[in-house]
Amino acid sequence: MKIINTQVGITGAGPAGLTLAHWLHQHGISSVILEARSREYVQNNSMQELDEYTEQVLKRIWRAQNFSNFMTTLLHRQNEHGSFTHKLQKIKFNYLTISDVYAMTLAENYVGLPFQSFKKNK
């Protein structure tokens, strides 16, 4: 058994593990990655996994950004009372109180959609 002195141990050489190891290295922090798969497998498949992971994460980020914008425009005063945007805000809020589907969509987004919702359709 080889003994390695390091500041951080990372379990898994998937996208998150490799990204963390890279970030630690850039900040002068030593780390070691523990991975069950062979070095060849990781080197040959990491970019594909990283690309797929990035695609999923970006979809979640944009979904969260869209939801944040929706909640801001729904709950915070946008323009003066009686303006067009104020009337839109009011009708969206009213619709939320009468539509179960609209309310469920808001609730789903509020707690975070599952990762499966963002996977590619094959």
Side-chain angles (χ1 to χ4, degrees), residues 19-84:
T19 301
L20 176 59
H22 180 70
W23 185 89
L24 291 169
H25 177 75
Q26 286 181 320
H27 290 83
I29 301 169
S30 64
S31 66
V32 63
I33 300 173
L34 306 174
E35 173 58 56
R37 297 171 292 186
S38 71
R39 177 181 284 274
E40 292 78 24
Y41 177 87
V42 172
Q43 287 175 335
N44 292 333
N45 294 291
S46 291
M47 285 308 295
Q48 179 183 351
E49 287 179 20
L50 187 57
D51 287 343
E52 290 171 6
Y53 178 76
T54 300
E55 186 176 334
Q56 279 186 27
V57 169
L58 284 174
K59 287 178 182 177
R60 287 184 68 90
I61 289 169
W62 282 112
R63 181 71 229 132
Q65 181 64 37
N66 179 266
F67 182 66
S68 175
N69 180 61
F70 169 79
M71 291 298 286
T72 300
T73 58
L74 179 69
L75 300 175
H76 297 277
R77 184 178 298 166
Q78 301 302 311
N79 283 322
E80 56 199 53
H81 187 72
S83 69
F84 179 75

Side-chain angles (χ1 to χ4, degrees), residues 67 70-71 96 100-113:
F67 182 66
F70 169 79
M71 291 298 286
L96 181 61
D100 291 340
V101 174
Y102 200 54
M104 190 180 302
T105 300
L106 185 139
E108 245 183 6
N109 281 276
Y110 187 78
V111 298
L113 293 170

